[in-house]
Amino acid sequence: MTDTSRPPGLSRRHLLAGLAATPALGAALPAAAQTAGPQWTPQQAQAALKDAKGTKLVLLGTGAGPVPGRSRQMTSHVMLSNGSAYVLDCGMGVTDQYARTGIPFNALKSIFITHHHPDHNIEYGPLLIVGWVQGLALDVSAFGPPPLKQMTDDFMRAYKQTVDFWAEDFHMKPLTAVNVQEISGAGPVMQDDNVKVSSIVVEHPPVKPALAYRFDFKDRSIAFSGDTAPLAAVAQMAKGADVLVHETMYVPALENYLRAAIARGQPVKFDAFMAHMKADHTPAEDVGRIAQEAGVKTLVLSHLTPAIDSITDDTWREPVAKYFKGEIVVGKDLMVV
Ligand SMILES: [Zn+2]
Ligand SMILES: [Zn+2]
């Protein structure tokens, strides 16, 4: 992807990278206070899954953007239903986080990608290879926008020797290919004994297509906005769902961060940067409006922008609760919903 569509001096890449390197930023936030913490422990997640009746969602990574070194991992989720696991998005950390849930790798049936940004797809290939070493079935399927087929083939080709060495050493059947189905638009994606999956196209320029997904399990429906500007189509897709996981941007904290970056001399244009973020992502108030319109039971705030630990749960919740009257969950890594 090129940055040619962006005004000169405006680099989201550099700004997002800076977010990780600015631990003092929290001190400048208006509502900075003690937070309940950005993650559950593996033990908490495993206990919740063990006691679970019916379909469960585990938030594996809840931070927005391809920023390493934070408390929150990049975006990924796993749904567990009737012993089968379904992964949505593969940001960095997905393989470790999956393992921490205690869900066996041979339970993983299908992987879904919302769009081709690194915080959603960078660990797709490593999940396949390390997962295979750990027992992933050879008939695993993957769904996502083009060119997912080519990406999968290229990755498998790049790691063929690695896989072959391992297969020879441990007498395993090598993972040579993945059943990939490319999804370009709205409509049904797949169906198996546990779940019916559908997609819609969302607005996340310049990424085309960027997808939102809805998973209708027998006992529970879970919808994911993916990365998108506020969109009525997301409310329609999520209509009546039990759970909506929506990306959430807390604008005051982002603005504070930007001002601090500008004060440090970074060549950023405030208005242009914020206009860009608003064209691509959803402010917390709009997340509340969309969830209320959809009439979902539970709204999970995730893909948090900015993913700064000092922003309290109450701070995330407050602008959303002005508009949404159902249950609001502030996403944490390894949280079971
Ligand atoms: Zn993202
Ligand atoms: Zn994105």
Side-chain angles (χ1 to χ4, degrees):
M1 190 188 81
T2 66
D3 263 2
T4 49
S5 62
R6 302 213 170 103
L10 172 69
S11 167
R12 185 168 62 153
R13 191 171 64 236
H14 290 138
L15 277 163
L16 288 174
L19 275 175
T22 319
L25 175 64
L29 294 172
Q34 275 306 102
T35 169
Q39 69 256 117
W40 281 20
T41 65
Q43 291 72 24
Q44 283 176 293
Q46 288 170 23
L49 288 175
K50 197 162 160 258
D51 298 338
K53 289 179 188 68
T55 300
K56 287 290 171 190
L57 161 69
V58 192
L59 309 174
L60 298 179
T62 57
V67 182
R70 295 177 301 196
S71 308
R72 292 178 191 274
Q73 305 282 326
M74 298 174 202
T75 296
S76 62
H77 318 77
V78 62
M79 287 156 276
L80 184 65
S81 185
N82 201 20
S84 292
Y86 303 84
V87 163
L88 179 85
D89 278 340
C90 294
M92 194 172 279
V94 61
T95 316
D96 270 343
Q97 293 289 79
Y98 183 101
R100 287 177 181 126
T101 66
I103 302 171
F105 278 89
N106 66 12
L108 179 52
K109 302 294 181 225
S110 301
I111 299 167
F112 300 83
I113 302 289
T114 57
H115 66 291
H116 294 304
H117 267 161
D119 52 322
H120 299 257
N121 72 4
I122 199 71
E123 208 173 299
Y124 164 65
L127 172 64
L128 292 173
I129 305 288
V130 177
W132 165 72
V133 169
Q134 299 299 327
L136 183 67
L138 294 174
D139 63 352
V140 66
S141 299
F143 303 84
L148 190 62
K149 260 191 185 119
Q150 181 215 316
M151 290 165 69
T152 308
D153 290 349
D154 287 352
F155 189 86
M156 297 311 293
R157 194 175 300 122
Y159 278 82
K160 182 179 185 308
Q161 186 65 82
T162 305
V163 168
D164 286 348
F165 280 147
W166 202 268
E168 183 188 343
D169 210 357
F170 294 94
H171 309 290
M172 294 168 70
K173 200 156 181 260
L175 180 69
T176 54
V178 175
N179 302 314
V180 177
Q181 193 182 318
E182 291 184 342
I183 311 296
S184 299
V189 170
M190 65 84 89
Q191 182 165 8
D192 67 10
D193 292 344
N194 299 306
V195 67
K196 196 165 85 180
V197 185
S198 55
S199 66
I200 62 163
V201 175
V202 292
E203 202 175 306
H204 191 49
V207 181
K208 278 193 171 91
L211 302 175
Y213 288 96
R214 176 175 173 138
F215 291 72
D216 284 290
F217 294 93
K218 288 190 179 111
D219 60 332
R220 208 176 187 205
S221 47
I222 306 172
F224 297 87
S225 68
D227 282 14
T228 182
L231 205 62
V234 172
Q236 281 159 30
M237 175 201 69
K239 207 89 189 168
D242 294 295
V243 179
L244 169 62
V245 181
H246 204 296
E247 75 132 276
T248 307
M249 174 167 65
Y250 182 57
V251 173
L254 190 60
E255 289 182 342
N256 274 4
Y257 164 71
L258 260 182
R259 288 196 187 94
I262 290 165
R264 284 196 312 274
Q266 283 197 25
V268 185
K269 291 189 169 67
F270 184 90
D271 290 341
F273 183 84
M274 287 310 298
H276 168 74
M277 290 304 281
K278 285 176 180 172
D280 267 80
H281 296 288
T282 304
E285 290 81 359
D286 290 316
V287 174
R289 286 190 191 100
I290 289 163
Q292 186 64 22
E293 170 66 25
V296 297
K297 288 198 192 87
T298 301
L299 169 63
V300 178
L301 311 182
S302 194
H303 194 277
L304 300 175
T305 308
I308 296 171
D309 293 349
S310 54
I311 304 174
T312 64
D313 288 358
D314 285 346
T315 302
W316 283 111
R317 199 176 276 119
E318 193 231 19
V320 179
K322 280 187 211 151
Y323 301 97
F324 178 62
K325 300 307 165 197
E327 182 192 23
I328 301 168
V329 174
V330 180
K332 296 172 190 298
D333 288 16
L334 291 181
M335 176 187 263
V336 178
V337 179

